[in-house]
Amino acid sequence: MAKIEKHFQTLFECMADSIKRPTLFEKDMFLFWDDPYISKSLLAAHLNPEFDGASRKLATIKKTVNYLIKNSLLKQGDTVLDLGCGPGLYSNRFCQFGINMTGIDLSKRSIEYAQRKAKEQGLKIEYIQGSFFDINYDGMFDSVLQVYGEICTFPNEERDRLLRIIHKALKTDGLFIFDVSTRELRKREGLKNRWRFLAFRKTYCIRTGI
Ligand SMILES: C[S@@+](CC[C@H](N)C(=O)[O-])C[C@H]1O[C@@H](n2cnc3c(N)ncnc32)[C@H](O)[C@@H]1O
């Protein structure tokens, strides 16, 4: 009897543990983005043109790409690094415009899709599977791009480490282009997810000591 009670006690403890709300930025034990099962549904979500989940809706992606090109923030001949590029929905489009793209993502499934699509479309893009925390580029890129609020998902120390990595990867006067979700923005937009553009020049980053 005592054995059964112990068994149920352990079971309830496990259940209670699994529904516990995680603390802010708490790390999980498994690799969410590259999990073979989850990454399958995630890729489907990325590729759904009407869904604003894993990637923005197709119309928003096209608008964002046009905006960055039209305003000469990304130009033909530029070298651009796409951090967390997913299945290459932005990189492929920028490459079609004549921008030299390098994309990096944790998800093997997304990277393989991006490579396949680039090959089919005759695009020369370097797609790398790995973590952007492990890159070590030095003054190579005119711009670094990170789309979908990824920068907001890290605790302060990790975010600062990532900013140093990005800073090192940029040429002098390079641009880091990213979107963020702020409390003010969410309040103003009524919790809608909308692309916002912010660009920090490398020189600005130096001044602020990043
Ligand atoms: C919300 S999705 C956005 C994908 C893409 N930027 C887009 O908007 O279509 C975030 C992406 O970041 C990738 N990611 C998360 N952490 C990463 C890391 N440390 N290194 C490389 N990629 C990462 C995920 O695998 C995922 O594809």
Side-chain angles (χ1 to χ4, degrees):
M1 189 63 184
K3 214 170 164 188
I4 294 177
E5 270 174 22
K6 179 78 189 144
H7 172 76
F8 277 107
Q9 191 187 343
T10 313
L11 190 67
F12 285 130
E13 277 169 11
C14 285
M15 281 165 67
D17 217 38
S18 67
I19 56 169
K20 212 170 60 193
R21 193 187 174 128
T23 56
L24 192 62
F25 299 123
E26 188 176 315
K27 291 250 180 278
D28 212 322
M29 276 164 47
F30 72 101
L31 248 186
F32 174 79
W33 295 109
D34 199 30
D35 176 84
Y37 178 74
I38 298 174
S39 69
K40 200 172 172 184
S41 333
L42 268 174
L43 181 58
H46 279 298
L47 302 180
N48 183 339
E50 298 302 327
F51 184 55
D52 238 343
S55 296
R56 304 277 183 227
K57 287 180 187 163
L58 185 60
T60 314
I61 294 174
K62 286 183 176 170
K63 231 161 119 182
T64 303
V65 169
N66 285 343
Y67 178 87
L68 293 173
I69 290 174
K70 210 172 124 211
N71 290 285
S72 299
L73 292 153
L74 299 182
K75 301 181 283 303
Q76 268 180 358
D78 275 1
T79 46
V80 176
L81 176 63
D82 185 357
L83 297 181
C85 61
L89 302 178
Y90 294 83
S91 282
N92 282 11
R93 285 182 165 77
F94 286 126
C95 182
Q96 277 165 351
F97 180 71
I99 296 172
N100 304 302
M101 297 300 302
T102 301
I104 180 158
D105 201 283
L106 272 182
S107 164
K108 184 167 181 281
R109 198 181 291 275
S110 282
I111 286 293
E112 283 176 356
Y113 176 91
Q115 285 168 333
R116 211 167 48 243
K117 276 286 153 192
K119 198 169 167 199
E120 277 170 27
Q121 295 168 10
L123 302 171
K124 207 166 154 281
I125 301 177
E126 190 175 6
Y127 279 118
I128 303 161
Q129 190 213 345
S131 170
F132 41 62
F133 283 101
D134 295 334
I135 59 175
N136 189 21
Y137 295 109
D138 200 343
M140 263 190 67
F141 294 98
D142 294 295
S143 294
V144 172
L145 182 70
Q146 195 169 45
V147 188
Y148 213 150
E150 199 59 23
I151 195 84
C152 306
T153 63
F154 303 110
N156 290 350
E157 320 77 64
E158 271 184 56
R159 188 203 50 228
D160 290 353
R161 183 155 70 89
L162 184 60
L163 287 174
R164 280 193 291 275
I165 290 169
I166 292 167
H167 183 254
K168 184 161 180 257
L170 283 169
K171 292 179 185 172
T172 304
D173 227 18
L175 280 179
F176 175 35
I177 299 169
F178 60 101
D179 54 340
V180 292
S181 168
T182 61
R183 190 175 298 177
E184 246 176 66
L185 177 68
R186 287 193 299 275
K187 213 162 115 190
R188 204 173 60 225
E189 300 290 339
L191 285 176
K192 276 182 253 141
N193 286 328
R194 293 247 182 93
W195 164 268
R196 280 293 176 277
F197 167 76
L198 281 174
F200 287 99
R201 293 205 174 270
K202 184 164 179 173
T203 42
Y204 175 81
C205 295
I206 291 169
R207 271 207 308 273
T208 55
I210 288 167

